């Protein structure tokens, strides 16, 4: 399942970026997403960043996609500026690479993956950044 298939992410309007873009996910502004100040709500930005971190792992660990159960373990975020317009989320590994994580899954059956995410608004201003740590575990094989 892709992160954009989740009902809450659909409601918020999350979508994958066009092929070749530097970001992974984007989300247009809508009245549903605004806070009391007229900017995009912090919780919405958090959700976009969390979904981006999960999508990033799916993109970088494709051979494990149907075999691994992934759950968010911890996150630490910093809101940097009010967000307006279409938001764009990009990600990168923090520490272990896809190769290291694949090796850990193959040998130990589990791994911790840390992903750094930035959310930018329509003016390319970083509105939020965060670190998302995922617990990855191989699913038991069906008999």
């Amino acid at each position: 399942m892709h992160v954009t298939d989740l009902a809450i992410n659909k409601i918020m309007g999350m979508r994958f970026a066009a092929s070749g873009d530097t970001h992974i996910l984007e989300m247009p502004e809508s009245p549903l997403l605004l806070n009391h100040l007229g900017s995009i709500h912090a919780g919405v930005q958090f959700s976009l960043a969390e979904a981006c971190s999960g999508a990033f792992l799916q993109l970088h660990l494709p051979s494990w996609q149907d075999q691994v159960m992934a759950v968010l373990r911890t996150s630490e975020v910093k809101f940097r500026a009010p967000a307006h317009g279409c938001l764009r989320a990009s990600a990168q590994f923090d520490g272990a690479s896809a190769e290291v994580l694949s090796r850990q899954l193959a040998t130990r059956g589990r791994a911790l993956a840390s992903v750094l995410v930035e959310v930018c608004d329509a003016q390319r201003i970083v509105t939020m950044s965060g670190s998302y740590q995922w617990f990855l575990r191989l699913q038991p094989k069906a008999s």
Side-chain angles (χ1 to χ4, degrees):
M1 171 182 275
H2 289 25
V3 297
T4 56
D5 293 334
L6 294 171
I8 190 158
N9 294 346
K10 281 183 182 182
I11 290 168
M12 288 191 285
M14 281 184 211
R15 60 186 180 227
F16 279 98
S19 180
D21 283 344
T22 58
H23 59 284
I24 297 170
L25 293 178
E26 56 190 29
M27 183 171 50
E29 181 179 308
S30 78
L32 174 70
L33 307 178
L34 301 180
N35 63 20
H36 63 291
L37 301 173
S39 59
I40 299 177
H41 195 283
V44 170
Q45 293 182 67
F46 179 93
S47 294
L48 176 63
E50 184 267 344
C52 180
S53 69
F56 176 82
L57 289 174
Q58 286 182 321
L59 290 170
H60 286 85
L61 299 169
S63 62
W64 295 99
Q65 195 166 12
D66 295 330
Q67 303 170 47
V68 171
M69 185 263 321
V71 291
L72 184 64
R73 186 171 184 214
T74 63
S75 65
E76 185 175 319
V77 301
K78 182 174 184 177
F79 296 96
R80 301 180 175 277
H84 299 279
C86 184
L87 298 185
R88 295 167 180 89
S90 58
Q92 65 184 23
F93 281 113
D94 181 17
S97 66
E99 295 80 21
V100 170
L101 293 171
S102 289
R103 191 168 43 252
Q104 289 174 351
L105 286 167
T107 59
R108 298 175 57 217
R110 64 185 185 281
L112 289 177
S114 291
V115 180
L116 299 175
V117 178
E118 277 192 344
V119 174
C120 295
D121 70 5
Q123 289 75 41
R124 301 190 190 276
I125 296 169
V126 176
T127 61
M128 189 209 124
S129 60
S131 174
Y132 293 80
Q133 186 181 66
W134 290 83
F135 174 72
L136 311 174
R137 183 180 58 118
L138 284 179
Q139 296 281 48
K141 292 183 180 182
S143 5

